[in-house]
Amino acid sequence: MTARHPLTYDSFVTLALADPAVVGLVLKGSRAHDGMVTEHSDHDLYVVLADAATTDLTRFQGYRTAALDLVVIPLTEFRTAGMPGFERYALARAQVVLDRLDGGIAGILADKALLDADEAHRDAGGWLDAYANSLYRSLKNARDGHGLAARLDAADSVRFLLELLFALDRRPRPYNKYLEWELARRPLPGWDTGLLLDAVDRVARTGDVTLQRRLFTRVESAARQAGHGAVLDAWGADLDLMRPR
């Protein structure tokens, strides 16, 4: 297609449906999230091919316009896409447009939506340590009168906190754009969604020291229950600065 006559989503889907090499079509992004579509939303589409298949559709790999963004990928590579990686959440919440594997494509997406137990435990431990690091730096900078540094470290800590909380629930963390969407439909166990969102908003904006310490109390309890006490204990006496006074 030329720039004057760009390929549309519907016309490409028609081409793909007629090609037996295509075993799956997967739509991700805003159009896979109910209520998130705007006038600027394009169609982000994975085109999954049978391994070693020959098809003319490979010419569309990397095709991108304001309306359509295509990824043409063999099945084997699709299985591992985002595992791990930034793309994992997008695929975890993607919609199946075509599944010629009798549910196999849907099964691959389901696998991406759930971290296995070992992966989740390993990741949660890493994110917990990163969260504690940024929290400690924020509180120390606030104590020492470095306001900007304290707020920047607090904002950093929010990222690690969210990664941690989703890892504890064995889920990939949603992109910031979809955080409220995700929590409205799948709240984190033990957390009030409204209170959590308000807390991370305030911490990111203001670096509120009292709120950071109160939040840490909840996180410490949850982390220890999940078996991450050793990560926290490694901080030794520095934990005193993180806990409420």
Side-chain angles (χ1 to χ4, degrees):
M1 295 291 176
T2 67
R4 281 184 74 135
H5 301 288
L7 188 64
T8 67
Y9 172 75
D10 289 336
S11 62
F12 181 82
V13 169
T14 298
L15 285 175
L17 290 175
D19 192 327
V22 177
V23 296
L25 295 174
V26 173
L27 183 68
K28 68 182 182 74
S30 297
R31 292 189 179 275
H33 290 72
D34 294 340
M36 295 297 292
V37 176
T38 73
E39 61 182 308
H40 305 292
S41 298
D42 65 353
H43 289 83
D44 292 297
L45 190 67
Y46 267 78
V47 185
V48 186
L49 305 177
D51 290 325
T54 300
T55 171
D56 207 31
L57 293 182
T58 54
R59 74 186 188 277
F60 292 112
Q61 169 57 20
Y63 182 90
R64 187 171 189 180
T65 67
L68 182 61
D69 190 349
L70 299 176
V71 176
V72 183
I73 187 171
L75 178 61
T76 297
E77 290 184 24
F78 181 67
R79 290 184 188 278
T80 59
M83 303 282 280
F86 184 73
E87 193 76 346
R88 185 162 187 172
Y89 175 77
L91 290 169
R93 294 292 173 255
Q95 292 183 0
V96 176
V97 178
L98 173 67
D99 188 342
R100 286 182 170 146
L101 300 180
D102 296 326
I105 297 296
I108 292 171
L109 297 182
D111 288 343
K112 296 179 190 300
L114 181 68
L115 280 64
D116 70 45
D118 290 342
E119 176 186 19
H121 191 270
R122 181 186 65 247
D123 288 355
W127 293 125
L128 173 61
D129 196 50
Y131 165 63
N133 190 303
S134 288
L135 170 65
Y136 178 74
R137 289 175 182 276
S138 176
L139 298 177
K140 186 170 66 170
N141 280 322
R143 179 197 65 192
D144 296 341
H146 305 301
L148 175 59
R151 292 189 297 275
L152 290 173
D153 285 326
D156 286 344
S157 78
V158 166
R159 174 202 164 197
F160 300 129
L161 170 62
L162 292 172
E163 295 278 9
L164 166 63
L165 295 183
F166 279 94
L168 288 174
D169 198 36
R170 297 180 58 186
R171 293 153 62 184
R173 178 199 161 182
Y175 307 149
N176 293 331
K177 178 179 180 178
Y178 301 122
L179 177 62
E180 293 174 278
W181 185 96
E182 179 75 17
L183 290 178
R185 289 156 178 80
R186 301 172 183 85
L188 289 165
W191 292 86
D192 179 283
T193 293
L195 293 178
L196 175 61
L197 289 173
D198 180 66
V200 298
D201 178 33
R202 286 172 55 197
V203 168
R205 286 188 295 107
T206 71
D208 185 315
V209 168
T210 300
L211 179 57
Q212 287 196 77
R213 285 180 169 138
R214 287 207 312 265
L215 196 55
F216 178 72
T217 298
R218 292 281 312 277
V219 173
E220 180 175 13
S221 176
R224 289 189 183 279
Q225 289 179 23
H228 297 288
V231 175
L232 292 165
D233 292 339
W235 281 85
D238 289 337
L239 288 173
D240 293 338
L241 185 64
M242 305 182 208
R243 291 166 172 156
R245 298 299 176 85

